[in-house]
Amino acid sequence: MVHHGRMTERITAPAGVAPAAQYSHVVSATGRLVAVSGQLALDEDGALVGPGDPAAQARQVFENLRRCLAAAGAGFEHVVKLTYFVTDMAHMPQIRAARGAHIPDDRLPAASAVRVAGLVAPEFLMEIEALAVVPEPADG
């Protein structure tokens, strides 16, 4: 299945590859690349949000991603790849719920989920980074 957006193509099931329910296997786009470093569940003062609570941490991480994207003139509609670093794969439903508040299921980016032994400090349950492509304005 191919979804076309402005300058973006999503392929959820390339020929010979099992379909993906939670991400697109392939996303291609043309424009200006925006790379957002891995975000943690920190508020604007650097305090941890949601100690021990994966849903609260996921919501804060996606809010931080939104703010970082906006700073570069981008939004979640431009995200072509998300990489999830999680200390426990059992947190993925909460991460998907937080993602769903920003990205509709018919516009899912490519994604990788990596279980890690730990992050920068033990209280962090996840870190998520994003790649986005912002279409260049048409000449004229």
Side-chain angles (χ1 to χ4, degrees), residues 43-125:
D43 67 14
E44 60 226 28
D45 297 321
L48 173 65
V49 173
D53 182 346
Q57 287 200 21
R59 286 190 301 271
Q60 183 63 46
V61 167
F62 273 91
E63 177 58 18
N64 291 348
L65 288 168
R66 184 194 66 74
R67 290 175 180 174
C68 290
L69 289 163
F76 281 105
E77 68 273 19
H78 302 116
V79 171
V80 296
K81 174 81 190 298
L82 291 171
T83 304
Y84 309 99
F85 301 95
V86 294
T87 58
D88 187 335
M89 294 307 269
H91 302 325
M92 289 306 297
Q94 293 90 344
I95 291 170
R96 287 186 201 108
R99 181 196 65 202
H102 298 279
I103 303 172
D105 285 348
D106 66 342
R107 298 191 52 82
L108 293 175
S112 295
V114 182
R115 185 176 58 82
V116 295
L119 294 163
V120 67
E123 59 267 19
F124 297 113
L125 304 177

Side-chain angles (χ1 to χ4, degrees), residues 1-3 10-27 96 99 104-112:
M1 187 152 113
V2 177
H3 298 280
R10 288 174 174 76
I11 304 169
T12 56
V17 177
Q22 298 298 330
Y23 57 91
S24 295
H25 277 291
V26 180
V27 179
R96 287 186 201 108
R99 181 196 65 202
D105 285 348
D106 66 342
R107 298 191 52 82
L108 293 175
S112 295

Side-chain angles (χ1 to χ4, degrees), residues 36-41 60-62 64-65 68 126-129:
V36 179
S37 292
Q39 295 297 303
L40 297 165
Q60 183 63 46
V61 167
F62 273 91
N64 291 348
L65 288 168
C68 290
M126 66 199 63
E127 181 173 334
I128 303 172
E129 65 183 25

